[in-house]
Amino acid sequence: MSPSVPNAYQSLLGLFLVLLIGLDSLLRATASAPPVFTDFTQKAGIEWQHFNGESEDRFLIETSSGGVAFLDFDNDGLLDIYLVNGGETPKGKSRAAVRNGLYRNLGQGRFEEMAARAGVSRIASYGMGVAAADFNNDGFQDLFMTGYPACTLFENRGDGTFAEVTERAGLANRPEWSAGAAWLDYDRDGWLDLFVCNYAKLSFEKPAPCEYGGKPVYCDQRSYAGSQSRLFRNRGDGTFADVSEGAGIRGLVGRAFGVVSVDVNEDGWPDLFVANDATPNLLLVNKRDGTFEDRALDAEIVFNSEGMMRSGMGVDAGDANGDGSVDFVVTNFHDEQHALYLGASQLPFREWTLESGLARFSHPYVGWGVGFLDYDNDGNQDLLIVNGHVTESIELARKDVTYKQPPMLLRNRGQAVFENMKEEAGPVFARGYVGRGLALGDFDNDGAVDAMFVTLNDRPVLLQNNLGSQLSWIGLELQGTSSNRDAIGAKATIVSGTRKITRWLKGGGSFLASHDKRLLFGLGTMSPSERVAVEIYWPNGNRQTVEGLKPRQFHKIIETRAPVTP
């Protein structure tokens, strides 16, 4: 045997050992890598808890409340948190006063509860959701709450306190059970109008008794007659007019849960997608004359492939396949699958539920809050969805469906094909919750989208994103001048090399929630020395181009007619 053979053997053995050590180091590094999201609730000092007034009467409203908003109510550049409680029912009483929560962001991950001091801890109604916006263009975010039997509007005084102005504004919406709400400037006059989802007819004096195994259970939603949603026009003087009938909204009866406003057909005017529960979804296309036309049948969003209506709860708009057209995601009941619809230059939409993987991932879940987000800042919009059943006894009837269900983080691999990140997402995504409202926002200003969701009869969950800031990003804070000050309805397109990334400043979205109004764009591995340009279509039709923007920071852009360079 040649003397070189043992040497060669030893070399191969050494190489094998090096590879083995390297693999072990890689596995250790992977094992010790932080999850995508960390449960930050306790560190933030958030102790608020939801209460739903559950009782033997089993009112359906008990199963669906829990709103949440990210907003900067004090204009200090940090996102604060508002949480909407449920309430008491005739036989479902709370040991303590049922209060909403307002947590002021102090920076460095610390929050201060100040709902009582701000005057927003109590409302007269059973609470559902929240929509935050500057309805009077004074530069401060106001709060609108849905619920039963009336809604509530708090006007931000600008000094850290709010004034309840519901009746004066004309937004009580009595005697409806309202759920989702969306601010939008449907007539493009520079003042934000309001669309309110009214779910179903409800009376605390008349329970709808249903039983399973001799015990009271919640009745099927079809036991509750659907209602008619409302559109309120902002007069610009602090008051609103109910224009539902004249706008073509009044006759559309359904069980409206979620709503999102965005320009679907790219004509520069805001439209509405309404997720309805066991009644037809609505696609309300703005006819630019103060009226809307329902194009849901033309869009093919009413029925699934078997011709059945789904039980829509939450809805959001985004660009799942990166083509610059508006796509929609809708959460539904178990066995129905959460649905994904891809948009194009004209109707119909293309249902992409099966091809995206969403059908496989969502089959056993009842979905509520949902949002498009680019959690890893690679430029593709991912999905975050919170789930939870409505009936605790479901596990007696179904072995594959649970009452508490895990949230889902779905990574977009490109072209609207998703993978479930449950192993990497974090411990929260391995646990069961009865999730409801979900809001998205960057509460620590690091360029990575964080999230918060409400859980029924429990504490909410604040999720801090650990991953997104590792890649490049850019944030836009838009301020309208002739458009509404919040710039709700704006469309922004980032141009980076040969790539274009489009995002919309939407009204509404998700379920019972309100979101960070800044637009975040993931730029992947772009060098900090590179620059990007943005093209903005403002809500009133103005077009503006801003060039030379630096990545990894937020930029405030004020509406002007002429192209500008910072």
Side-chain angles (χ1 to χ4, degrees):
M1 184 178 290
S2 169
S4 63
V5 173
N7 292 335
Y9 175 77
Q10 290 174 4
S11 298
L12 287 173
L13 181 60
L15 179 61
F16 175 75
L17 290 173
V18 168
L19 291 174
L20 188 62
I21 293 170
L23 179 60
D24 180 68
S25 299
L26 179 62
L27 290 174
R28 288 176 181 270
T30 302
S32 62
V36 176
F37 286 102
T38 298
D39 185 346
F40 203 74
T41 316
Q42 186 172 351
K43 287 185 179 180
I46 296 173
E47 299 178 348
W48 179 91
Q49 184 162 322
H50 181 265
F51 178 80
N52 76 337
E54 182 178 335
S55 72
E56 61 192 48
D57 287 329
R58 291 295 192 269
F59 293 105
L60 193 59
I61 196 171
E62 299 167 11
T63 70
S64 55
S65 68
V68 55
F70 278 119
L71 75 158
D72 182 6
F73 83 92
D74 54 359
N75 286 350
D76 65 353
L78 298 170
L79 285 182
D80 312 300
I81 296 168
Y82 189 67
L83 295 154
V84 181
N85 223 320
E88 295 183 325
T89 59
K91 297 179 183 178
K93 302 300 183 181
S94 174
R95 295 180 180 177
V98 179
R99 298 182 182 276
N100 298 332
L102 176 63
Y103 284 86
R104 179 170 175 261
N105 192 337
L106 303 175
Q108 298 182 339
R110 297 177 301 117
F111 288 80
E112 173 191 21
E113 209 290 317
M114 56 173 299
R117 274 182 287 161
V120 293
S121 65
R122 302 289 299 276
I123 59 176
S125 298
Y126 187 106
M128 285 289 292
V130 56
D134 181 7
F135 79 85
N136 53 7
N137 288 338
D138 67 351
F140 293 93
Q141 294 289 292
D142 309 297
L143 288 167
F144 176 78
M145 272 77 71
T146 56
Y148 170 78
C151 297
T152 307
L153 177 65
F154 284 114
E155 181 180 8
N156 192 331
R157 292 190 177 109
D159 61 358
T161 67
F162 292 77
E164 199 267 295
V165 296
T166 314
E167 298 296 341
R168 186 183 77 197
L171 290 179
N173 190 44
R174 298 182 193 276
E176 300 288 351
W177 167 11
S178 54
W183 294 98
L184 73 160
D185 184 6
Y186 81 94
D187 52 2
R188 301 204 328 185
D189 65 352
W191 297 95
L192 285 175
D193 313 300
L194 184 65
F195 183 90
V196 180
C197 292
N198 289 325
Y199 180 73
K201 302 300 181 183
L202 178 67
S203 171
F204 280 159
E205 286 71 44
K206 297 178 181 179
C210 292
E211 292 186 352
Y212 180 81
K215 295 182 178 181
V217 296
Y218 294 105
C219 293
D220 183 278
Q221 72 271 59
R222 295 172 181 85
S223 301
Y224 292 78
S227 193
Q228 301 173 74
S229 297
R230 289 179 177 172
L231 178 66
F232 295 92
R233 180 178 178 271
N234 191 335
R235 294 190 178 103
D237 61 359
T239 68
F240 292 76
D242 185 346
V243 296
S244 309
E245 186 169 355
I249 305 296
R250 177 69 73 186
L252 301 173
V253 178
R255 300 182 193 89
F257 252 154
V259 59
V260 64
S261 175
V262 67
D263 180 10
V264 174
N265 53 7
E266 298 184 1
D267 65 352
W269 293 71
D271 310 300
L272 291 156
F273 189 119
V274 182
N276 278 334
D277 186 6
T279 47
N281 293 329
L282 303 176
L283 182 66
L284 302 177
V285 175
N286 194 329
K287 296 176 69 176
R288 299 181 286 181
D289 59 0
T291 68
F292 289 82
E293 179 184 9
D294 182 20
R295 300 289 304 279
L297 281 172
D298 298 330
E300 298 184 2
I301 61 171
V302 175
F303 306 105
N304 64 11
S305 58
E306 286 79 39
M308 304 292 291
M309 280 185 296
R310 293 176 165 117
S311 304
M313 268 78 88
V315 59
D316 198 25
D319 185 6
N321 56 356
D323 66 352
S325 295
V326 179
D327 308 317
F328 292 98
V329 59
V330 182
T331 53
N332 299 296
F333 215 71
H334 66 70
D335 300 336
E336 296 177 346
Q337 305 157 359
H338 305 341
L340 180 63
Y341 302 100
L342 300 184
S345 58
Q346 58 185 351
L347 300 180
F349 292 111
R350 178 170 46 147
E351 179 159 354
W352 196 248
T353 305
L354 183 63
E355 295 87 344
S356 67
L358 198 56
R360 181 173 74 258
F361 301 138
S362 65
H363 188 79
Y365 298 137
V366 177
W368 301 87
V370 58
F372 280 106
L373 76 165
D374 185 2
Y375 77 86
D376 53 2
N377 279 335
D378 67 351
N380 296 320
Q381 288 208 288
D382 314 299
L383 285 171
L384 180 59
I385 303 172
V386 296
N387 306 294
H389 213 279
V390 298
T391 304
E392 290 185 75
S393 59
I394 186 62
E395 294 168 36
L396 299 177
R398 292 281 298 265
K399 300 302 181 185
D400 60 329
V401 179
T402 58
Y403 177 60
K404 293 185 176 182
Q405 300 175 348
M408 292 191 297
L409 180 65
L410 305 181
R411 178 178 176 269
N412 189 341
R413 292 168 17 199
Q415 298 302 311
V417 176
F418 295 86
E419 61 178 319
N420 195 336
M421 302 299 291
K422 61 182 179 181
E423 301 299 330
E424 297 87 353
V428 166
F429 295 82
R431 290 184 54 194
Y433 300 86
V434 189
R436 293 300 183 257
L438 166 71
L440 302 174
D442 181 8
F443 77 80
D444 50 8
N445 288 341
D446 66 349
V449 181
D450 309 301
M452 189 169 201
F453 63 91
V454 177
T455 62
L456 207 65
N457 281 336
D458 208 338
R459 294 175 65 189
V461 178
L462 177 62
L463 294 171
Q464 184 179 48
N465 188 329
N466 302 309
L467 182 66
S469 60
Q470 296 178 16
L471 292 181
S472 193
W473 57 275
I474 196 165
L476 303 181
E477 179 187 351
L478 305 182
Q479 181 180 314
T481 52
S482 58
S483 298
N484 69 85
R485 186 181 175 93
D486 278 353
I488 292 175
K491 172 185 175 182
T493 300
I494 288 285
V495 180
S496 172
T498 59
R499 188 175 188 183
K500 291 185 176 182
I501 305 173
T502 299
R503 301 289 182 258
W504 297 266
L505 212 172
K506 302 162 288 190
S510 188
F511 179 74
L512 307 182
S514 196
H515 314 279
D516 189 349
K517 290 182 174 57
R518 299 171 299 180
L519 298 176
L520 270 172
F521 298 76
L523 301 177
T525 57
M526 173 181 283
S527 167
S529 63
E530 294 185 55
R531 298 292 182 269
V532 298
V534 59
E535 185 177 61
I536 303 167
Y537 287 88
W538 294 92
N540 68 356
N542 286 343
R543 178 180 171 183
Q544 180 176 346
T545 300
V546 183
E547 299 179 343
L549 297 175
K550 296 180 181 179
R552 293 187 177 271
Q553 65 185 63
F554 286 98
H555 299 267
K556 184 172 184 176
I557 300 176
I558 299 175
E559 179 184 12
T560 180
R561 291 183 180 274
V564 297
T565 301

